[in-house]
Amino acid sequence: MPRYISDVKAWSMGDVVAGVTVAVTSLPQYIAYAELAQLSGFRGIVASGPPLVAFAFLTGNPCLNIGVTSITALMATADLKGGEYRDAYGEAAWSQILGTYSMMIGVASLALALLNAGSLVKHIPAPVKAGWKLGFALAACAAQMPNSAFEHAKNLKKICQLPNFRGAPLQSGAANMYRLAWSLTHPHFWDAEAVAFSAMTLFIVMYFKSPLKVIVASALGAGISYLRSYSGDVVGRPPPGSELRITGELGADLTSWVHQWPWEMPLDETVNRLGGWPLAVMSAVAFAFVDYLAIISVEAERPAPGGSRPNREMAGQGLGCIASGMGGSAPIGGSLTRSMLAGMIGASSPTLGMETD
């Protein structure tokens, strides 16, 4: 049988070690994926824990780890045209819209689970799953190119002039793909120091097998940046007033991560951003289905003891997305790298998510 969090006998010190290790090694990912979603890096850390706790209460897979991923960040940003919205209204307003969309996807996931839709997703052809993975891998490369090759990410938009299509410059995904191609064919505009940092990190992450390689790469990069007084873009400190503070009041401390409660979310504005209620519902349902493919992919590598419970995992995805939305962050999805790491270290129950938080 799958191991649920209520199976106390399955709890072990391996869960604690795996949880702490996954949390430490995931910090750079939380920052990077928040930036993919057009948010400041600190928001990725603040909003990472509650979805893990919510998911832990439903999942039956001890190793399955969830969180904002490159795919969920890029999909949500593309659906909402996040770059344009943030430029026009600021990050705080964009975080509210993004969080509302996460909540809508969470509700859609819960509804699909109640309708037994989780069992249908496994019939999607493998080429379809491979196709969307390839597409979002390219989208992730395009989104990271400005930070990987240029001292300041905004420099790329200044030097790369977008062509017009039907009387207007390329927008959204098409613009990102064009800038990626332009960057790859104009290496003389690259900043040598930024490229060196990117190449060093890529080499460490790809060629070293230690689960601590992400921490090593981040620490080495931060150290070199400090010693050389690197003048390019850095993660930076959180804005004043954004830090979580312990007040001593239990209720306030337990909810200090909440950016917006569901009844405070700008639902009408988010729906209008998606093109009205019919398109908004279709977008949320389609996102929930595609998002669940990531969980299926992870479970193929790290199966649950006794087999998976598709609808329960989809419901867990729903709770995780709602929690992420309340934190003002992007929808969550299954993370293969974090799940594999948890399995390697010895996670034996879903309490892994509690320790990771």
Side-chain angles (χ1 to χ4, degrees):
M1 292 293 291
R3 295 175 185 168
Y4 298 117
I5 199 168
S6 57
D7 300 333
V8 179
K9 291 183 179 179
W11 295 8
S12 72
M13 280 302 298
D15 299 325
V16 178
V17 175
V20 173
T21 305
V22 170
V24 172
T25 56
S26 297
L27 290 177
Q29 292 182 356
Y30 294 148
I31 294 170
Y33 298 154
E35 292 177 349
L36 279 182
Q38 302 296 315
L39 297 172
S40 299
F42 83 95
R43 290 188 185 274
I45 298 176
V46 172
S48 62
L52 283 164
V53 175
F55 185 77
F57 281 99
L58 282 181
T59 183
N61 191 324
C63 301
L64 185 54
N65 198 276
I66 55 93
V68 176
T69 66
S70 59
I71 292 174
T72 61
L74 290 168
M75 284 177 61
T77 303
D79 287 351
L80 296 166
K81 298 181 176 61
E84 300 171 14
Y85 191 92
R86 174 177 169 161
D87 291 344
Y89 301 102
E91 181 179 339
W94 162 238
S95 178
Q96 292 179 337
I97 294 292
L98 180 61
T100 304
Y101 190 39
S102 297
M103 185 271 295
M104 293 170 62
I105 294 164
V107 172
S109 298
L110 290 172
L112 290 170
L114 290 173
L115 295 172
N116 195 34
S119 59
L120 301 177
V121 178
K122 62 184 179 182
H123 298 295
I124 295 176
V128 173
K129 185 168 65 173
W132 72 259
K133 279 188 175 181
L134 177 61
F136 283 103
L138 288 173
C141 289
Q144 292 299 318
M145 191 66 191
N147 287 307
S148 300
F150 300 91
E151 185 179 31
H152 299 286
K154 293 182 178 180
N155 288 350
L156 179 57
K157 291 185 178 182
K158 295 178 180 178
I159 60 180
C160 175
Q161 298 297 318
L162 296 174
N164 288 337
F165 179 73
R166 294 184 178 178
L170 294 177
Q171 300 290 329
S172 302
N176 290 337
M177 288 297 107
Y178 181 85
R179 291 191 182 104
L180 174 62
W182 187 93
S183 299
L184 294 174
T185 54
H186 294 75
H188 51 285
F189 283 103
W190 294 358
D191 177 74
E193 201 166 9
V195 172
F197 275 121
S198 300
M200 176 195 70
T201 305
L202 186 63
F203 177 80
I204 293 174
V205 171
M206 290 186 66
Y207 291 99
F208 286 81
K209 296 182 179 180
S210 170
L212 298 178
K213 60 187 178 182
V214 177
I215 293 297
V216 172
S218 300
L220 185 59
I224 296 174
S225 172
Y226 176 78
L227 292 174
R228 291 184 54 82
S229 299
Y230 180 58
S231 59
D233 290 338
V234 295
V235 174
R237 294 177 59 85
S242 62
E243 302 89 347
L244 296 180
R245 291 185 173 88
I246 303 299
T247 64
E249 297 181 10
L250 183 60
D253 290 340
L254 289 177
T255 59
S256 60
W257 59 274
V258 176
H259 184 64
Q260 55 183 352
W261 296 100
W263 54 86
E264 298 172 336
M265 295 180 177
L267 185 60
D268 289 340
E269 187 174 357
T270 305
V271 168
N272 290 335
R273 190 75 184 166
L274 292 166
W277 274 107
L279 289 177
V281 172
M282 290 175 59
S283 295
V285 171
F287 198 119
F289 265 117
V290 173
D291 199 9
Y292 186 61
L293 290 178
I295 290 181
I296 292 178
S297 299
V298 173
E299 288 211 308
E301 300 295 331
R302 286 287 175 180
S308 176
R309 296 294 186 272
N311 292 313
R312 187 159 181 145
E313 301 297 342
M314 182 172 274
Q317 169 185 293
L319 289 183
C321 284
I322 291 173
S324 187
M326 291 170 62
S329 189
I332 58 90
S335 171
L336 179 58
T337 55
R338 287 170 244 166
S339 300
M340 294 291 285
L341 177 59
M344 288 168 53
I345 297 173
S348 59
S349 81
T351 54
L352 160 74
M354 311 289 282
E355 276 88 25
T356 304
D357 180 41

